[in-house]
Amino acid sequence: MIINLYIMTRSVLVICFFILLLNEVIAKESTLSVQGFIGDSVVLQCHSGNVRLESITAHWRYNDVKNVYDIEDGKESTGDQDRVYRDRTEMFPAEYMKGNFSLKLRKLQNTDGGSYCCFIPNINKQQCTQLQIKEKPMGIQETPGTNRGVESKAERIVSLLIPFFAVSILFCVRVIV
């Protein structure tokens, strides 16, 4: 009985450790990784979640330096937009009320690679995307509306840890019985 209690306690502690570790990774991991090809388009995701915004304001920045796109009070504001992005950006105004502030960047160039961050000041939220630019392999055509390689590190870790948690829980149940 004491050995079973010891094994169960140790198993629970291991599970708790991994849950805390996973929670820390998810909390810190707000950066997605997206791959784009020269000449194609890519959509950089930004969502406010289920929060309803009184005033719709969002800002897109490249490497915290260049102004990519601004939405001020629900309206496009490209007056301060860096010239590198002129006529290459597109937003989806019909989606603003749903909390979607995703940005489409067209005609990708080698110099577009880097970190793009979306700031939503009303809810103090920042969501960043690391854009990697590659040469387009021969024979590959752009598929509208798709991003290649969109998966955060947290999503990969979760998918790897789910089987571990399932086995640990089954082991605990078996020890108790």
Side-chain angles (χ1 to χ4, degrees), residues 86-129:
R86 292 223 190 262
D87 302 319
R88 295 196 311 129
T89 56
E90 179 183 347
M91 295 291 287
F92 309 97
E95 295 290 313
Y96 295 168
M97 292 305 288
K98 297 175 188 172
N100 182 358
F101 303 101
S102 298
L103 172 80
K104 183 174 185 178
L105 183 58
R106 296 185 300 270
K107 302 176 188 168
L108 292 175
Q109 307 166 4
N110 270 330
T111 55
D112 288 332
S115 178
Y116 290 82
C117 292
C118 171
F119 303 98
I120 306 172
N122 301 35
I123 58 173
N124 198 26
K125 181 173 182 173
Q126 174 178 322
Q127 187 173 344
C128 296
T129 302

Side-chain angles (χ1 to χ4, degrees), residues 8-146:
M8 185 176 71
T9 303
R10 191 175 74 180
S11 298
V12 169
L13 288 174
V14 168
I15 291 171
C16 290
F17 170 76
F18 281 108
I19 290 173
L20 290 172
L21 179 67
L22 179 63
N23 188 35
E24 187 69 21
V25 168
I26 290 172
K28 288 183 179 179
E29 182 55 56
S30 61
T31 301
L32 298 174
S33 181
V34 175
Q35 178 181 307
F37 295 109
I38 295 173
D40 282 357
S41 298
V42 70
V43 176
L44 306 174
Q45 301 293 320
C46 180
H47 300 277
S48 67
N50 294 329
V51 178
R52 294 202 53 95
L53 303 174
E54 298 164 11
S55 173
I56 298 172
T57 300
H59 308 284
W60 276 96
R61 299 293 180 264
Y62 171 77
N63 289 338
D64 290 328
V65 178
K66 293 182 180 179
N67 182 334
V68 180
Y69 204 96
D70 286 324
I71 302 166
E72 296 284 346
D73 295 322
K75 295 184 176 106
E76 170 185 304
S77 176
T78 57
D80 293 331
Q81 184 181 44
D82 192 283
R83 63 179 180 79
V84 174
Y85 299 103
R86 292 223 190 262
D87 302 319
R88 295 196 311 129
T89 56
E90 179 183 347
M91 295 291 287
F92 309 97
E95 295 290 313
Y96 295 168
M97 292 305 288
K98 297 175 188 172
N100 182 358
F101 303 101
S102 298
L103 172 80
K104 183 174 185 178
L105 183 58
R106 296 185 300 270
K107 302 176 188 168
L108 292 175
Q109 307 166 4
N110 270 330
T111 55
D112 288 332
S115 178
Y116 290 82
C117 292
C118 171
F119 303 98
I120 306 172
N122 301 35
I123 58 173
N124 198 26
K125 181 173 182 173
Q126 174 178 322
Q127 187 173 344
C128 296
T129 302
Q130 188 66 34
L131 178 59
Q132 300 169 349
I133 303 296
K134 295 188 175 189
E135 292 285 336
K136 191 185 310 186
M138 293 301 223
I140 292 188
Q141 299 296 320
E142 178 182 3
T143 305
T146 60

Side-chain angles (χ1 to χ4, degrees), residues 157-177:
I157 291 171
V158 168
S159 66
L160 293 173
L161 287 179
I162 288 174
F164 170 77
F165 287 130
V167 169
S168 298
I169 290 169
L170 287 174
F171 178 74
C172 288
V173 169
R174 192 159 198 233
V175 169
I176 293 172
V177 176

